[in-house]
PDB file of all heavy atoms in Angstrom:
ATOM      1  N   ALA L1085      -8.616  13.167 -26.787  1.00 98.00           N
ATOM      2  CA  ALA L1085      -9.352  13.028 -25.534  1.00 98.00           C
ATOM      3  C   ALA L1085     -10.706  12.504 -25.715  1.00 98.00           C
ATOM      4  O   ALA L1085     -11.144  11.618 -24.986  1.00 98.00           O
ATOM      5  CB  ALA L1085      -9.358  14.357 -24.836  1.00 98.00           C
ATOM      6  N   ARG L1086     -11.373  12.981 -26.770  1.00 97.00           N
ATOM      7  CA  ARG L1086     -12.715  12.481 -27.088  1.00 97.00           C
ATOM      8  C   ARG L1086     -12.739  11.009 -27.525  1.00 97.00           C
ATOM      9  O   ARG L1086     -13.508  10.174 -27.045  1.00 97.00           O
ATOM     10  CB  ARG L1086     -13.385  13.286 -28.188  1.00 97.00           C
ATOM     11  CG  ARG L1086     -14.526  12.737 -28.991  1.00 97.00           C
ATOM     12  CD  ARG L1086     -15.723  12.382 -28.135  1.00 97.00           C
ATOM     13  NE  ARG L1086     -16.742  11.757 -28.944  1.00 97.00           N
ATOM     14  CZ  ARG L1086     -16.800  10.451 -29.150  1.00 97.00           C
ATOM     15  NH1 ARG L1086     -15.862   9.636 -28.741  1.00 97.00           N
ATOM     16  NH2 ARG L1086     -17.805   9.964 -29.843  1.00 97.00           N
ATOM     17  N   ASP L1087     -11.762  10.678 -28.319  1.00 97.00           N
ATOM     18  CA  ASP L1087     -11.680   9.299 -28.892  1.00 97.00           C
ATOM     19  C   ASP L1087     -11.250   8.257 -27.798  1.00 97.00           C
ATOM     20  O   ASP L1087     -11.506   7.060 -28.032  1.00 97.00           O
ATOM     21  CB  ASP L1087     -10.647   9.292 -30.062  1.00 97.00           C
ATOM     22  CG  ASP L1087     -11.168   9.975 -31.254  1.00 97.00           C
ATOM     23  OD1 ASP L1087     -12.334  10.357 -31.318  1.00 97.00           O
ATOM     24  OD2 ASP L1087     -10.329  10.275 -32.148  1.00 97.00           O
ATOM     25  N   LEU L1088     -10.658   8.716 -26.727  1.00 98.00           N
ATOM     26  CA  LEU L1088     -10.252   7.739 -25.621  1.00 98.00           C
ATOM     27  C   LEU L1088     -11.479   7.305 -24.861  1.00 98.00           C
ATOM     28  O   LEU L1088     -11.439   6.209 -24.197  1.00 98.00           O
ATOM     29  CB  LEU L1088      -9.243   8.378 -24.713  1.00 98.00           C
ATOM     30  CG  LEU L1088      -7.819   8.427 -25.252  1.00 98.00           C
ATOM     31  CD1 LEU L1088      -6.910   9.367 -24.384  1.00 98.00           C
ATOM     32  CD2 LEU L1088      -7.215   7.026 -25.246  1.00 98.00           C
ATOM     33  N   ILE L1089     -12.574   8.024 -24.892  1.00 97.00           N
ATOM     34  CA  ILE L1089     -13.738   7.616 -24.230  1.00 97.00           C
ATOM     35  C   ILE L1089     -14.253   6.262 -24.847  1.00 97.00           C
ATOM     36  O   ILE L1089     -14.462   6.159 -26.048  1.00 97.00           O
ATOM     37  CB  ILE L1089     -14.868   8.687 -24.270  1.00 97.00           C
ATOM     38  CG1 ILE L1089     -14.434   9.951 -23.656  1.00 97.00           C
ATOM     39  CG2 ILE L1089     -16.145   8.164 -23.570  1.00 97.00           C
ATOM     40  CD1 ILE L1089     -14.067   9.977 -22.260  1.00 97.00           C
ATOM     41  N   GLY L1090     -14.446   5.293 -23.987  1.00 95.00           N
ATOM     42  CA  GLY L1090     -14.875   3.946 -24.468  1.00 95.00           C
ATOM     43  C   GLY L1090     -13.735   3.005 -24.721  1.00 95.00           C
ATOM     44  O   GLY L1090     -13.960   1.762 -24.938  1.00 95.00           O
ATOM     45  N   LYS L1091     -12.467   3.497 -24.776  1.00 97.00           N
ATOM     46  CA  LYS L1091     -11.353   2.572 -24.921  1.00 97.00           C
ATOM     47  C   LYS L1091     -11.053   2.005 -23.524  1.00 97.00           C
ATOM     48  O   LYS L1091     -11.515   2.456 -22.478  1.00 97.00           O
ATOM     49  CB  LYS L1091     -10.077   3.336 -25.384  1.00 97.00           C
ATOM     50  CG  LYS L1091     -10.298   4.038 -26.714  1.00 97.00           C
ATOM     51  CD  LYS L1091     -10.554   3.163 -27.860  1.00 97.00           C
ATOM     52  CE  LYS L1091     -10.465   3.844 -29.220  1.00 97.00           C
ATOM     53  NZ  LYS L1091     -11.616   4.853 -29.379  1.00 97.00           N
ATOM     54  N   ILE L1092     -10.260   0.944 -23.430  1.00 97.00           N
ATOM     55  CA  ILE L1092      -9.960   0.266 -22.185  1.00 97.00           C
ATOM     56  C   ILE L1092      -8.507   0.412 -21.902  1.00 97.00           C
ATOM     57  O   ILE L1092      -7.595   0.129 -22.689  1.00 97.00           O
ATOM     58  CB  ILE L1092     -10.286  -1.255 -22.273  1.00 97.00           C
ATOM     59  CG1 ILE L1092     -11.811  -1.377 -22.554  1.00 97.00           C
ATOM     60  CG2 ILE L1092      -9.975  -1.893 -20.937  1.00 97.00           C
ATOM     61  CD1 ILE L1092     -12.187  -2.831 -22.749  1.00 97.00           C
ATOM     62  N   ILE L1093      -8.217   0.975 -20.672  1.00 98.00           N
ATOM     63  CA  ILE L1093      -6.878   1.097 -20.209  1.00 98.00           C
ATOM     64  C   ILE L1093      -6.546  -0.137 -19.299  1.00 98.00           C
ATOM     65  O   ILE L1093      -7.269  -0.558 -18.413  1.00 98.00           O
ATOM     66  CB  ILE L1093      -6.626   2.357 -19.449  1.00 98.00           C
ATOM     67  CG1 ILE L1093      -5.097   2.472 -19.029  1.00 98.00           C
ATOM     68  CG2 ILE L1093      -7.500   2.568 -18.248  1.00 98.00           C
ATOM     69  CD1 ILE L1093      -4.672   3.847 -18.510  1.00 98.00           C
ATOM     70  N   TYR L1094      -5.421  -0.762 -19.553  1.00 98.00           N
ATOM     71  CA  TYR L1094      -4.931  -1.923 -18.801  1.00 98.00           C
ATOM     72  C   TYR L1094      -3.586  -1.616 -18.112  1.00 98.00           C
ATOM     73  O   TYR L1094      -2.794  -0.860 -18.605  1.00 98.00           O
ATOM     74  CB  TYR L1094      -4.668  -3.073 -19.649  1.00 98.00           C
ATOM     75  CG  TYR L1094      -5.965  -3.728 -20.215  1.00 98.00           C
ATOM     76  CD1 TYR L1094      -6.311  -3.450 -21.562  1.00 98.00           C
ATOM     77  CD2 TYR L1094      -6.678  -4.704 -19.509  1.00 98.00           C
ATOM     78  CE1 TYR L1094      -7.451  -4.057 -22.056  1.00 98.00           C
ATOM     79  CE2 TYR L1094      -7.854  -5.279 -20.015  1.00 98.00           C
ATOM     80  CZ  TYR L1094      -8.244  -4.948 -21.331  1.00 98.00           C
ATOM     81  OH  TYR L1094      -9.336  -5.557 -21.868  1.00 98.00           O
ATOM     82  N   THR L1095      -3.455  -2.241 -16.923  1.00 98.00           N
ATOM     83  CA  THR L1095      -2.081  -2.210 -16.265  1.00 98.00           C
ATOM     84  C   THR L1095      -1.763  -3.669 -15.878  1.00 98.00           C
ATOM     85  O   THR L1095      -2.699  -4.464 -15.580  1.00 98.00           O
ATOM     86  CB  THR L1095      -2.043  -1.338 -14.993  1.00 98.00           C
ATOM     87  OG1 THR L1095      -2.922  -1.953 -13.995  1.00 98.00           O
ATOM     88  CG2 THR L1095      -2.470   0.050 -15.286  1.00 98.00           C
ATOM     89  N   ARG L1096      -0.516  -4.008 -15.939  1.00 98.00           N
ATOM     90  CA  ARG L1096      -0.060  -5.354 -15.542  1.00 98.00           C
ATOM     91  C   ARG L1096       1.189  -5.057 -14.673  1.00 98.00           C
ATOM     92  O   ARG L1096       2.280  -4.753 -15.193  1.00 98.00           O
ATOM     93  CB  ARG L1096       0.279  -6.212 -16.718  1.00 98.00           C
ATOM     94  CG  ARG L1096       0.578  -7.654 -16.269  1.00 98.00           C
ATOM     95  CD  ARG L1096       1.113  -8.511 -17.423  1.00 98.00           C
ATOM     96  NE  ARG L1096       0.201  -8.584 -18.558  1.00 98.00           N
ATOM     97  CZ  ARG L1096      -0.778  -9.384 -18.744  1.00 98.00           C
ATOM     98  NH1 ARG L1096      -1.028 -10.291 -17.809  1.00 98.00           N
ATOM     99  NH2 ARG L1096      -1.476  -9.333 -19.854  1.00 98.00           N
ATOM    100  N   PHE L1097       1.039  -5.254 -13.404  1.00 96.00           N
ATOM    101  CA  PHE L1097       2.151  -5.113 -12.433  1.00 96.00           C
ATOM    102  C   PHE L1097       2.236  -6.462 -11.642  1.00 96.00           C
ATOM    103  O   PHE L1097       1.230  -6.902 -11.124  1.00 96.00           O
ATOM    104  CB  PHE L1097       1.962  -3.940 -11.465  1.00 96.00           C
ATOM    105  CG  PHE L1097       1.699  -2.631 -12.138  1.00 96.00           C
ATOM    106  CD1 PHE L1097       0.625  -1.883 -11.853  1.00 96.00           C
ATOM    107  CD2 PHE L1097       2.498  -2.194 -13.155  1.00 96.00           C
ATOM    108  CE1 PHE L1097       0.338  -0.673 -12.468  1.00 96.00           C
ATOM    109  CE2 PHE L1097       2.279  -0.997 -13.826  1.00 96.00           C
ATOM    110  CZ  PHE L1097       1.228  -0.227 -13.469  1.00 96.00           C
ATOM    111  N   ASP L1098       3.394  -7.021 -11.480  1.00 93.00           N
ATOM    112  CA  ASP L1098       3.653  -8.210 -10.710  1.00 93.00           C
ATOM    113  C   ASP L1098       2.712  -9.269 -11.209  1.00 93.00           C
ATOM    114  O   ASP L1098       2.144 -10.088 -10.414  1.00 93.00           O
ATOM    115  CB  ASP L1098       3.399  -7.965  -9.221  1.00 93.00           C
ATOM    116  CG  ASP L1098       4.414  -6.941  -8.669  1.00 93.00           C
ATOM    117  OD1 ASP L1098       5.612  -6.912  -9.080  1.00 93.00           O
ATOM    118  OD2 ASP L1098       3.997  -6.140  -7.834  1.00 93.00           O
ATOM    119  N   ASN L1099       2.556  -9.419 -12.505  1.00 94.00           N
ATOM    120  CA  ASN L1099       1.639 -10.271 -13.163  1.00 94.00           C
ATOM    121  C   ASN L1099       0.193 -10.201 -12.802  1.00 94.00           C
ATOM    122  O   ASN L1099      -0.589 -11.177 -12.988  1.00 94.00           O
ATOM    123  CB  ASN L1099       2.202 -11.786 -12.928  1.00 94.00           C
ATOM    124  CG  ASN L1099       1.832 -12.713 -14.048  1.00 94.00           C
ATOM    125  OD1 ASN L1099       1.738 -12.305 -15.253  1.00 94.00           O
ATOM    126  ND2 ASN L1099       1.554 -13.945 -13.711  1.00 94.00           N
ATOM    127  N   MET L1100      -0.222  -9.042 -12.322  1.00 96.00           N
ATOM    128  CA  MET L1100      -1.649  -8.854 -11.943  1.00 96.00           C
ATOM    129  C   MET L1100      -2.241  -7.842 -12.973  1.00 96.00           C
ATOM    130  O   MET L1100      -1.740  -6.732 -13.066  1.00 96.00           O
ATOM    131  CB  MET L1100      -1.791  -8.248 -10.562  1.00 96.00           C
ATOM    132  CG  MET L1100      -1.342  -9.262  -9.440  1.00 96.00           C
ATOM    133  SD  MET L1100      -1.637  -8.616  -7.775  1.00 96.00           S
ATOM    134  CE  MET L1100      -0.475  -7.286  -7.695  1.00 96.00           C
ATOM    135  N   LEU L1101      -3.175  -8.286 -13.680  1.00 98.00           N
ATOM    136  CA  LEU L1101      -3.845  -7.487 -14.815  1.00 98.00           C
ATOM    137  C   LEU L1101      -5.066  -6.813 -14.188  1.00 98.00           C
ATOM    138  O   LEU L1101      -5.932  -7.418 -13.561  1.00 98.00           O
ATOM    139  CB  LEU L1101      -4.278  -8.441 -15.877  1.00 98.00           C
ATOM    140  CG  LEU L1101      -4.930  -7.789 -17.102  1.00 98.00           C
ATOM    141  CD1 LEU L1101      -3.983  -6.866 -17.825  1.00 98.00           C
ATOM    142  CD2 LEU L1101      -5.523  -8.774 -18.056  1.00 98.00           C
ATOM    143  N   THR L1102      -5.131  -5.531 -14.359  1.00 97.00           N
ATOM    144  CA  THR L1102      -6.321  -4.727 -14.033  1.00 97.00           C
ATOM    145  C   THR L1102      -6.635  -3.820 -15.229  1.00 97.00           C
ATOM    146  O   THR L1102      -5.812  -3.486 -15.992  1.00 97.00           O
ATOM    147  CB  THR L1102      -6.106  -3.861 -12.730  1.00 97.00           C
ATOM    148  OG1 THR L1102      -4.930  -3.013 -12.942  1.00 97.00           O
ATOM    149  CG2 THR L1102      -5.913  -4.755 -11.561  1.00 97.00           C
ATOM    150  N   GLY L1103      -7.946  -3.403 -15.269  1.00 97.00           N
ATOM    151  CA  GLY L1103      -8.292  -2.517 -16.378  1.00 97.00           C
ATOM    152  C   GLY L1103      -9.679  -1.994 -16.179  1.00 97.00           C
ATOM    153  O   GLY L1103     -10.488  -2.410 -15.405  1.00 97.00           O
ATOM    154  N   GLY L1104      -9.956  -0.924 -16.958  1.00 95.00           N
ATOM    155  CA  GLY L1104     -11.191  -0.256 -16.860  1.00 95.00           C
ATOM    156  C   GLY L1104     -11.530   0.524 -18.209  1.00 95.00           C
ATOM    157  O   GLY L1104     -10.593   0.945 -18.859  1.00 95.00           O
ATOM    158  N   ILE L1105     -12.786   0.675 -18.452  1.00 95.00           N
ATOM    159  CA  ILE L1105     -13.248   1.405 -19.600  1.00 95.00           C
ATOM    160  C   ILE L1105     -13.103   2.904 -19.314  1.00 95.00           C
ATOM    161  O   ILE L1105     -13.553   3.380 -18.305  1.00 95.00           O
ATOM    162  CB  ILE L1105     -14.682   1.091 -19.941  1.00 95.00           C
ATOM    163  CG1 ILE L1105     -14.817  -0.401 -20.276  1.00 95.00           C
ATOM    164  CG2 ILE L1105     -15.222   1.941 -21.095  1.00 95.00           C
ATOM    165  CD1 ILE L1105     -16.264  -0.881 -20.397  1.00 95.00           C
ATOM    166  N   ILE L1106     -12.410   3.616 -20.166  1.00 96.00           N
ATOM    167  CA  ILE L1106     -12.187   5.081 -19.994  1.00 96.00           C
ATOM    168  C   ILE L1106     -13.513   5.831 -20.153  1.00 96.00           C
ATOM    169  O   ILE L1106     -14.209   5.741 -21.167  1.00 96.00           O
ATOM    170  CB  ILE L1106     -11.161   5.573 -20.978  1.00 96.00           C
ATOM    171  CG1 ILE L1106      -9.784   4.925 -20.718  1.00 96.00           C
ATOM    172  CG2 ILE L1106     -10.993   7.136 -20.930  1.00 96.00           C
ATOM    173  CD1 ILE L1106      -8.714   5.315 -21.751  1.00 96.00           C
ATOM    174  N   THR L1107     -13.887   6.564 -19.115  1.00 95.00           N
ATOM    175  CA  THR L1107     -15.172   7.214 -19.062  1.00 95.00           C
ATOM    176  C   THR L1107     -15.104   8.728 -18.949  1.00 95.00           C
ATOM    177  O   THR L1107     -16.025   9.509 -19.177  1.00 95.00           O
ATOM    178  CB  THR L1107     -16.051   6.828 -17.886  1.00 95.00           C
ATOM    179  OG1 THR L1107     -15.304   6.992 -16.702  1.00 95.00           O
ATOM    180  CG2 THR L1107     -16.345   5.314 -17.972  1.00 95.00           C
ATOM    181  N   GLU L1108     -13.868   9.275 -18.684  1.00 96.00           N
ATOM    182  CA  GLU L1108     -13.638  10.724 -18.513  1.00 96.00           C
ATOM    183  C   GLU L1108     -12.226  11.140 -18.799  1.00 96.00           C
ATOM    184  O   GLU L1108     -11.274  10.468 -18.313  1.00 96.00           O
ATOM    185  CB  GLU L1108     -14.034  11.198 -17.131  1.00 96.00           C
ATOM    186  CG  GLU L1108     -14.022  12.747 -16.958  1.00 96.00           C
ATOM    187  CD  GLU L1108     -14.561  13.163 -15.660  1.00 96.00           C
ATOM    188  OE1 GLU L1108     -14.881  12.333 -14.714  1.00 96.00           O
ATOM    189  OE2 GLU L1108     -14.517  14.362 -15.366  1.00 96.00           O
ATOM    190  N   THR L1109     -12.064  12.170 -19.618  1.00 98.00           N
ATOM    191  CA  THR L1109     -10.812  12.660 -19.946  1.00 98.00           C
ATOM    192  C   THR L1109     -10.763  14.189 -20.008  1.00 98.00           C
ATOM    193  O   THR L1109     -11.808  14.801 -20.154  1.00 98.00           O
ATOM    194  CB  THR L1109     -10.249  12.132 -21.391  1.00 98.00           C
ATOM    195  OG1 THR L1109     -11.223  12.544 -22.303  1.00 98.00           O
ATOM    196  CG2 THR L1109     -10.246  10.628 -21.338  1.00 98.00           C
ATOM    197  N   GLU L1110      -9.590  14.717 -20.006  1.00 98.00           N
ATOM    198  CA  GLU L1110      -9.347  16.216 -20.241  1.00 98.00           C
ATOM    199  C   GLU L1110      -8.182  16.424 -21.108  1.00 98.00           C
ATOM    200  O   GLU L1110      -7.106  15.811 -20.949  1.00 98.00           O
ATOM    201  CB  GLU L1110      -9.169  16.943 -18.913  1.00 98.00           C
ATOM    202  CG  GLU L1110     -10.413  17.089 -18.035  1.00 98.00           C
ATOM    203  CD  GLU L1110     -10.087  17.897 -16.772  1.00 98.00           C
ATOM    204  OE1 GLU L1110      -8.942  18.073 -16.457  1.00 98.00           O
ATOM    205  OE2 GLU L1110     -11.124  18.267 -16.132  1.00 98.00           O
ATOM    206  N   ALA L1111      -8.382  17.299 -22.053  1.00 98.00           N
ATOM    207  CA  ALA L1111      -7.245  17.653 -23.015  1.00 98.00           C
ATOM    208  C   ALA L1111      -6.479  18.843 -22.520  1.00 98.00           C
ATOM    209  O   ALA L1111      -7.068  19.807 -21.955  1.00 98.00           O
ATOM    210  CB  ALA L1111      -7.788  17.893 -24.385  1.00 98.00           C
ATOM    211  N   TYR L1112      -5.164  18.837 -22.706  1.00 98.00           N
ATOM    212  CA  TYR L1112      -4.317  19.952 -22.309  1.00 98.00           C
ATOM    213  C   TYR L1112      -3.401  20.238 -23.515  1.00 98.00           C
ATOM    214  O   TYR L1112      -2.576  19.435 -23.951  1.00 98.00           O
ATOM    215  CB  TYR L1112      -3.477  19.677 -21.056  1.00 98.00           C
ATOM    216  CG  TYR L1112      -4.363  19.620 -19.838  1.00 98.00           C
ATOM    217  CD1 TYR L1112      -5.110  18.563 -19.476  1.00 98.00           C
ATOM    218  CD2 TYR L1112      -4.470  20.818 -19.093  1.00 98.00           C
ATOM    219  CE1 TYR L1112      -5.853  18.545 -18.378  1.00 98.00           C
ATOM    220  CE2 TYR L1112      -5.328  20.813 -17.999  1.00 98.00           C
ATOM    221  CZ  TYR L1112      -6.020  19.669 -17.630  1.00 98.00           C
ATOM    222  OH  TYR L1112      -6.924  19.685 -16.575  1.00 98.00           O
ATOM    223  N   ALA L1113      -3.502  21.516 -24.087  1.00 98.00           N
ATOM    224  CA  ALA L1113      -2.954  21.809 -25.385  1.00 98.00           C
ATOM    225  C   ALA L1113      -1.618  22.549 -25.271  1.00 98.00           C
ATOM    226  O   ALA L1113      -1.375  23.468 -26.022  1.00 98.00           O
ATOM    227  CB  ALA L1113      -3.951  22.672 -26.168  1.00 98.00           C
ATOM    228  N   GLY L1114      -0.791  22.078 -24.403  1.00 96.00           N
ATOM    229  CA  GLY L1114       0.651  22.510 -24.417  1.00 96.00           C
ATOM    230  C   GLY L1114       0.892  23.977 -24.154  1.00 96.00           C
ATOM    231  O   GLY L1114       0.264  24.630 -23.302  1.00 96.00           O
ATOM    232  N   ILE L1115       1.795  24.521 -24.956  1.00 97.00           N
ATOM    233  CA  ILE L1115       2.439  25.844 -24.623  1.00 97.00           C
ATOM    234  C   ILE L1115       1.411  27.013 -24.783  1.00 97.00           C
ATOM    235  O   ILE L1115       1.695  28.084 -24.205  1.00 97.00           O
ATOM    236  CB  ILE L1115       3.710  26.143 -25.464  1.00 97.00           C
ATOM    237  CG1 ILE L1115       3.277  26.141 -26.910  1.00 97.00           C
ATOM    238  CG2 ILE L1115       4.693  25.098 -25.227  1.00 97.00           C
ATOM    239  CD1 ILE L1115       4.512  26.570 -27.843  1.00 97.00           C
ATOM    240  N   VAL L1116       0.270  26.818 -25.501  1.00 98.00           N
ATOM    241  CA  VAL L1116      -0.702  27.858 -25.659  1.00 98.00           C
ATOM    242  C   VAL L1116      -1.807  27.763 -24.700  1.00 98.00           C
ATOM    243  O   VAL L1116      -2.737  28.585 -24.675  1.00 98.00           O
ATOM    244  CB  VAL L1116      -1.190  27.922 -27.139  1.00 98.00           C
ATOM    245  CG1 VAL L1116      -0.118  28.152 -28.076  1.00 98.00           C
ATOM    246  CG2 VAL L1116      -1.940  26.571 -27.417  1.00 98.00           C
ATOM    247  N   ASP L1117      -1.824  26.683 -23.867  1.00 98.00           N
ATOM    248  CA  ASP L1117      -2.928  26.432 -22.908  1.00 98.00           C
ATOM    249  C   ASP L1117      -2.529  26.830 -21.496  1.00 98.00           C
ATOM    250  O   ASP L1117      -1.678  26.177 -20.941  1.00 98.00           O
ATOM    251  CB  ASP L1117      -3.268  24.935 -23.058  1.00 98.00           C
ATOM    252  CG  ASP L1117      -4.452  24.524 -22.217  1.00 98.00           C
ATOM    253  OD1 ASP L1117      -4.942  25.368 -21.412  1.00 98.00           O
ATOM    254  OD2 ASP L1117      -4.878  23.380 -22.329  1.00 98.00           O
ATOM    255  N   GLN L1118      -3.173  27.774 -21.002  1.00 98.00           N
ATOM    256  CA  GLN L1118      -2.790  28.252 -19.624  1.00 98.00           C
ATOM    257  C   GLN L1118      -3.000  27.269 -18.540  1.00 98.00           C
ATOM    258  O   GLN L1118      -2.426  27.433 -17.437  1.00 98.00           O
ATOM    259  CB  GLN L1118      -3.533  29.604 -19.293  1.00 98.00           C
ATOM    260  CG  GLN L1118      -3.186  30.762 -20.187  1.00 98.00           C
ATOM    261  CD  GLN L1118      -3.931  32.039 -19.861  1.00 98.00           C
ATOM    262  OE1 GLN L1118      -3.622  32.581 -18.749  1.00 98.00           O
ATOM    263  NE2 GLN L1118      -4.843  32.447 -20.646  1.00 98.00           N
ATOM    264  N   ALA L1119      -3.813  26.256 -18.769  1.00 97.00           N
ATOM    265  CA  ALA L1119      -4.045  25.176 -17.806  1.00 97.00           C
ATOM    266  C   ALA L1119      -3.047  24.067 -17.879  1.00 97.00           C
ATOM    267  O   ALA L1119      -2.921  23.243 -17.021  1.00 97.00           O
ATOM    268  CB  ALA L1119      -5.424  24.626 -17.982  1.00 97.00           C
ATOM    269  N   SER L1120      -2.191  24.111 -18.914  1.00 98.00           N
ATOM    270  CA  SER L1120      -1.171  23.057 -19.140  1.00 98.00           C
ATOM    271  C   SER L1120       0.062  23.270 -18.277  1.00 98.00           C
ATOM    272  O   SER L1120       0.525  24.446 -18.125  1.00 98.00           O
ATOM    273  CB  SER L1120      -0.837  22.997 -20.608  1.00 98.00           C
ATOM    274  OG  SER L1120       0.325  22.108 -20.795  1.00 98.00           O
ATOM    275  N   HIS L1121       0.668  22.232 -17.783  1.00 97.00           N
ATOM    276  CA  HIS L1121       1.950  22.356 -17.174  1.00 97.00           C
ATOM    277  C   HIS L1121       3.084  22.847 -18.068  1.00 97.00           C
ATOM    278  O   HIS L1121       4.057  23.352 -17.574  1.00 97.00           O
ATOM    279  CB  HIS L1121       2.362  20.990 -16.593  1.00 97.00           C
ATOM    280  CG  HIS L1121       1.529  20.439 -15.438  1.00 97.00           C
ATOM    281  ND1 HIS L1121       1.594  19.207 -14.940  1.00 97.00           N
ATOM    282  CD2 HIS L1121       0.530  21.074 -14.710  1.00 97.00           C
ATOM    283  CE1 HIS L1121       0.706  19.030 -14.000  1.00 97.00           C
ATOM    284  NE2 HIS L1121       0.095  20.151 -13.777  1.00 97.00           N
ATOM    285  N   ALA L1122       2.863  22.761 -19.352  1.00 97.00           N
ATOM    286  CA  ALA L1122       3.882  23.184 -20.280  1.00 97.00           C
ATOM    287  C   ALA L1122       3.561  24.587 -20.895  1.00 97.00           C
ATOM    288  O   ALA L1122       4.148  24.986 -21.882  1.00 97.00           O
ATOM    289  CB  ALA L1122       4.003  22.153 -21.423  1.00 97.00           C
ATOM    290  N   TYR L1123       2.577  25.253 -20.295  1.00 97.00           N
ATOM    291  CA  TYR L1123       2.187  26.597 -20.850  1.00 97.00           C
ATOM    292  C   TYR L1123       3.357  27.569 -20.929  1.00 97.00           C
ATOM    293  O   TYR L1123       4.257  27.548 -20.089  1.00 97.00           O
ATOM    294  CB  TYR L1123       1.139  27.223 -19.911  1.00 97.00           C
ATOM    295  CG  TYR L1123       0.789  28.664 -20.310  1.00 97.00           C
ATOM    296  CD1 TYR L1123       0.157  28.925 -21.548  1.00 97.00           C
ATOM    297  CD2 TYR L1123       1.047  29.708 -19.401  1.00 97.00           C
ATOM    298  CE1 TYR L1123      -0.086  30.222 -21.930  1.00 97.00           C
ATOM    299  CE2 TYR L1123       0.709  31.033 -19.803  1.00 97.00           C
ATOM    300  CZ  TYR L1123       0.162  31.309 -21.040  1.00 97.00           C
ATOM    301  OH  TYR L1123      -0.166  32.549 -21.440  1.00 97.00           O
ATOM    302  N   ASN L1124       3.446  28.250 -22.051  1.00 97.00           N
ATOM    303  CA  ASN L1124       4.462  29.233 -22.274  1.00 97.00           C
ATOM    304  C   ASN L1124       5.873  28.559 -22.416  1.00 97.00           C
ATOM    305  O   ASN L1124       6.808  29.114 -22.018  1.00 97.00           O
ATOM    306  CB  ASN L1124       4.516  30.296 -21.252  1.00 97.00           C
ATOM    307  CG  ASN L1124       5.149  31.601 -21.684  1.00 97.00           C
ATOM    308  OD1 ASN L1124       5.145  31.891 -22.929  1.00 97.00           O
ATOM    309  ND2 ASN L1124       5.705  32.366 -20.796  1.00 97.00           N
TER     310      ASN L1124
END
């Protein structure tokens, strides 16, 4: 999550390219993380 800050995410749909520099992320740590959809 930390390392993704500053990377660029791109999408290409119907031959239209869009993208942005990643400025904010959140990590979710799976089955041990009560905030995760996969908790428990």
Side-chain angles (χ1 to χ4, degrees):
R1086 159 63 182 85
D1087 292 346
L1088 280 167
I1089 301 296
K1091 304 297 190 293
I1092 301 176
I1093 183 169
Y1094 288 99
T1095 64
R1096 190 191 301 275
F1097 306 130
D1098 299 321
N1099 209 32
M1100 294 185 293
L1101 179 68
T1102 55
I1105 299 171
I1106 296 174
T1107 58
E1108 185 177 0
T1109 60
E1110 287 180 346
Y1112 288 84
I1115 63 175
V1116 299
D1117 182 353
Q1118 294 182 70
S1120 171
H1121 290 171
Y1123 173 63
N1124 203 26

